[in-house]
Structure formats: C-alpha cells, structure tokens
Amino acid sequence: MGLIFRRRHQQSSNGALSFLLLLLLWSVAITEASIHIYDNQFFREVGNSYLLSGGSEGILASLSSSGDDQTSSSSSIHDGHSYIRFENITFWRNKAKKLGTGLIQIIIFEAADRNNIGGSAYGGQRAICCTPDLAKMEGCKQGEVIRIPSPTDINWPIVLNAHFRGNSLFARMNDKEVTITKTGMYNLFFVACDPKLKGLRMNGKTSWKNPDGFLPGRMAPLMKFYVYMSLVYLLLSVIWFSQYVRFWKEILHLQHCIAAVIGLGLFEMFLWHIEYVHFNNTGMRPVAITTWVVTVGAVRKTLSRILILSVSMGYGVVRPTLGGLTSKVILLGITYFLATELLNITEYVGTINDISGRARLFLVLPNAFLDAFLILWIFTSLSRTLEQLQVKRSSVKLDIYRKFSNALAVTVIASVAWIAYEVYFKATDPFNERWQSAWIITAFWDIVAFLLLCVICYLWAPSQSSQRYAYSEEVRDDSDDEETQSLTRGKSEGDLSLVKQEKKEKDVGDDNDEEDGEENKRE
C-alpha cells in the first residue's frame, strides 16, 4: 500500500510540475490574435491529464451586463461588453482506441486563482485530475478536473463540459459566451482526464473581447500611445522641414539622413496606430500592415544607428566622407537590418503572444551583440573626433560634440537600467499579472529614440551657414569671437570661411614682407 501511495505521490508531483511549466510557456500554443484559431491541434500529456492551452489574455471587466453567457454576434464591438466566446469547437479522438463515453473539460480561470485548479494528496505536489486518494480527501469526482471555488466568487474558476457519445469519433461543444465581470489575466485550458482519450485533437476558435474591442488588454494603451507619438513626430517634422526648405541650398548630407529618420519615424508610428485599430476592430492582426510596419521600423532603427555612428565619426561636420570605413558601415547596417527584421516578423506578424523563451533568445542575441558592438564603435569614434577637434581648437564644433556625447551617454545608461528593470519585471511576474503596465516596456524604447533624435536635430539643424562652417579649420585664437555663432544656426555676417581666412593670412604675410624690406633698406 505504501508503494502505491509513493507512486501516486510521484505522479501527482510530476503532473503539477508539468502543469506549472506549461503555464509559463503557453505561448507555444498556435494562436492568431484575439481570435484564437485551433486547427487540428493535439493535446499534450501533462501529469495525469491531457491538456491543450487555449490562450492567455488580460481582459478588463465588462462595462455592461448585457449578453451574459450567451452568444451575441450582432452586438457592437465597442459596446462595453467583455467576454470569451467559443465557436465551432470540435474534439476528435483516435480511432485505434477503445470507444465509449469520454469527457473533455474546458477551464477558464484568472491567474490569481491558478492554485484553485488541481489538488494534492498527503502534502505532495498538485495534480490536475482527481485521483482516488484525492476523491476521498477533497471530495472531488474521480476522472474530472479538481476545482476549488474562488474565495471572492464561488462561480470561478469556470468549468464547462463536452462529451463523446457512444462510439462517435467527435464531440462538439455548444457555442457559448462567458461574460467577464472582473478585470484580470484570464487563462483557458482544455483538459481530458480519461487515459482512453490519448491522442485527442481539436478544431474551432475562441474570441476574446475587451469593452472597447478585440485588442488585448496589455496592448490597448499602445493604440492611444501611437497617436501621441505620431503627433510629436509630426510636430518635429514640421519644425525640421520648415528649416530644411528655408535653407535647402545649404543642406548637408548628414541633414538629409536626419530628415529620412524623421520621415520614417512618423510613418512607422502612423502604421502602428493603423495596425492596432484594425486589430481592435477585427480581432485579427493584418499580416500585410504588420509586415509593413515592422519593416519600416527595422529600416528606421538601422538608419538611426548608422546615423549616430556616422556623426560620431565626424561625417558631415569634420570630414566629408567616411573614407575606407564606408563599406564596413554599410555591411554592419545590412546585418543589423536583417537581424531586426527577422526578430520583429517572428514576434509581431500574426501573433499577440510573446514568442517562447528559446526562440526569443535565439533571435534576440544577434541584436544584442550588434547593439553592443555599435555602442563600442560609436564611443571609440566619438573619442577620436573629440581629440581631433581639441587639437584643431574648433571650439564651436567641440562644444556641439560634447553635448552630443553627454546625450548619448545618458541614453545608454538609461537603456541599460531599463533592460535590467525589464528583466526584473518579467522574472517577478511569470503569470503576467501586472499586464496593465506591460505596455510601458514597449513605449519606453520609442520615447528614448525620439528624444535622442530631437537632440540630434537641435545640434545639427539646417541654417544659412551650414555649408561654410561644415569643414572649416579654426586655428587662430582671435577667431573665437566669430566662432561663438552656432555651427548650424550662425548668420552670414561674420562667417569665417576658408577663403576669408586664407586671404586674411595672405594680407598679413604681405604686410610683414614690406616691413622687413623697409628695415633692410634702413640698415
């Protein structure tokens, strides 16, 4: 008898361990947006049960009570009603197994109530399905999922049943709509406890809706966020391009690159908003729009990094070209674009769930290494440029580059600190219970990129003296008064160009020659 109990205890421990692991990795389930599609998906053996993850989303409580537990397909998307709707759910069992009646249970529970599913015998780990020992101790029904009512609502977790009848190979679940009356992170699992149902598979779909549409709760704030980002990019575009048109004859190649980054940023933010609106209204991510937006984003990120690297090398201000480094910079840009594009397509196109740990690690690592290499190259180049400007005593350019260095250093420090916070955030929230603030993780990077772009625009704004100051060499101490005018915002009066400087030096030289001649005559 003791041996039987030990075996059952071991089975319960293995089942609970597998169950918790599955909760952490439910992103493995194949889903498409807020309408989750199950296309001939197989149940996996987890402990003493066969289990299929149906999805996990943050849902806000309904603002209205209409349509409770019933299908209301004709209702408006923005009706304030939150629900999980089951449509055309069909289960299929293996022909090779002995036929007969069989039970499949559908479990909906909030992340905070995850311990209310399953039980343990003799102080062991938790098991999903009721065993003979648990039936005696906790009063559950053997062969069914163990459900403990929530202390705040005895109707939760919700367990729905579907049955195989006679020798039928399939079981169909009635279409049903479960109203969400409490804000939380909701999880859906399909569970079979009968060993004869091994090899079970399922078709159908579920729709997860928030009060204002199908957009998942953790993503909903981003729809408004991208409206605000589009507006600030539009404002920056108006300011920049007004100066751009005004001084178009004096525009540097560097300022062309800045204009391209601004335009791409505005286009990206606008596309993200369009993508989220379509997602919210239909429940499906538009593959074409999502592909476009992640591609534009990858181009914008790549061009931004190449721009910062080029500025750090002194391109457009200290040197007219990158010389022999041009091919290396282009190769690095192409590599970074491909790595970013692959990561973004895998993470965003056609899905709302975070990609699984190993897959994400495999795709994130190349980006992380490239970013680290870029940062090292940027600061190395920046240090050399500052040294050159100090030797040439170019006080205005030196002041600009010091400001740029400070802004870049602050950005890197803030980014490293935020990465540490992001790791902590995800490590301490394995069940996504803080989903309502998760959107800030994504928004932070867009805000930082915009602020750094604003700094670059301020330091290298178009002006009527851009071309003349671009590569001038200030070597005389008495030129400091004229140099006090900004590199990019100076006026034509008092400009110190190479031609003027050479002429002045030539005149001084001629005067000295004449004075020397007079002295020789006197002698």
Side-chain angles (χ1 to χ4, degrees), residues 151-207:
T152 57
D153 188 348
I154 61 173
N155 295 320
W156 285 86
I158 289 180
V159 178
L160 307 174
N161 297 329
H163 297 271
F164 283 99
R165 304 293 181 183
N167 293 327
S168 176
L169 294 177
F170 68 91
R172 189 182 299 277
M173 175 186 174
N174 295 330
D175 291 352
K176 189 174 181 62
E177 185 178 287
V178 177
T179 299
I180 303 301
T181 58
K182 179 184 177 184
T183 298
M185 173 60 69
Y186 287 89
N187 310 298
L188 171 63
F189 285 93
F190 300 90
V191 183
C193 296
D194 191 345
K196 294 184 295 184
L197 294 178
K198 184 176 182 179
L200 191 66
R201 50 195 170 86
M202 188 186 78
N203 293 309
K205 71 176 183 179
T206 56
S207 302

Side-chain angles (χ1 to χ4, degrees), residues 203-330:
N203 293 309
K205 71 176 183 179
T206 56
S207 302
W208 305 55
K209 182 182 170 300
N210 270 287
D212 292 325
F214 290 104
L215 200 62
R218 67 181 178 85
M219 299 170 69
L222 289 173
M223 186 166 63
K224 292 183 179 179
F225 169 75
Y226 286 121
V227 173
Y228 298 135
M229 287 302 298
S230 298
L231 292 176
V232 294
Y233 264 101
L234 181 61
L235 178 61
L236 180 61
S237 300
V238 171
I239 296 173
W240 178 266
F241 285 103
S242 63
Q243 294 291 100
Y244 193 84
V245 173
R246 183 181 175 188
F247 305 111
W248 68 273
K249 291 183 179 180
E250 297 289 332
I251 296 299
L252 304 172
H253 291 298
L254 173 66
Q255 291 164 338
H256 290 312
C257 295
I258 297 174
V261 173
I262 296 173
L264 286 171
L266 175 61
F267 190 41
E268 181 189 3
M269 297 301 109
F270 177 73
L271 282 179
W272 271 123
H273 176 66
I274 295 298
E275 197 260 0
Y276 274 43
V277 169
H278 186 281
F279 186 4
N280 189 56
N281 292 336
T282 64
M284 303 292 290
R285 299 199 85 156
V287 174
I289 297 178
T290 309
T291 304
W292 262 104
V293 71
V294 298
T295 302
V296 172
V299 173
R300 192 262 306 168
K301 291 176 183 176
T302 302
L303 188 57
S304 297
R305 282 155 176 78
I306 296 303
L307 173 64
I308 293 172
L309 177 60
S310 300
V311 169
S312 301
M313 291 178 174
Y315 173 70
V317 177
V318 178
R319 54 197 297 183
T321 66
L322 295 178
L325 296 175
T326 303
S327 59
K328 295 180 181 179
V329 171
I330 293 175

